[in-house]
Amino acid sequence: NLYFGIFPNPNKGSFNVEVKIGSVQDAELLITDATGKLCFKKSQPLDPARPIVHIELPSLKRGLYSVQLKTDKANAVKTLVIE
């Protein structure tokens, strides 16, 4: 199973993604706007010993975004609010 949370949320483009995962896995983090346009993409291994990924996106405009975390085994989506 794959679980993640975003904090703080809402924010101004600086936030953390906290991942709960059982083993080291390659993952892809995708952020899309309300129209489905890709705003950010990052691929990296996720490690249960380092569960927090910091993201800085000060150029994101106010609004709602979808944050998708994908691994070979699972896929999860959360909503991000930029104020």
Side-chain angles (χ1 to χ4, degrees):
N1 285 347
L2 176 63
Y3 169 82
F4 77 98
I6 300 167
F7 66 94
N9 193 18
N11 64 69
K12 296 188 183 309
S14 176
F15 58 95
N16 295 299
V17 176
E18 182 176 19
V19 181
K20 295 189 179 172
I21 197 164
S23 61
V24 175
Q25 295 180 41
D26 288 331
E28 188 171 62
L29 181 72
L30 306 164
I31 299 177
T32 54
D33 67 14
T35 67
K37 178 184 168 197
L38 183 64
C39 301
F40 178 79
K41 180 178 180 180
K42 181 175 185 173
S43 297
Q44 74 175 64
L46 296 177
D47 185 340
R50 292 190 194 112
I52 296 177
V53 177
H54 183 71
I55 307 289
E56 288 281 342
L57 298 172
S59 63
L60 285 183
K61 303 210 181 318
R62 290 176 57 154
L64 298 177
Y65 294 82
S66 291
V67 179
Q68 181 179 24
L69 189 62
K70 300 191 317 185
T71 69
D72 289 341
K73 300 176 184 176
N75 185 22
V77 179
K78 298 280 184 188
T79 299
L80 169 67
V81 180
I82 299 294
E83 26 178 56

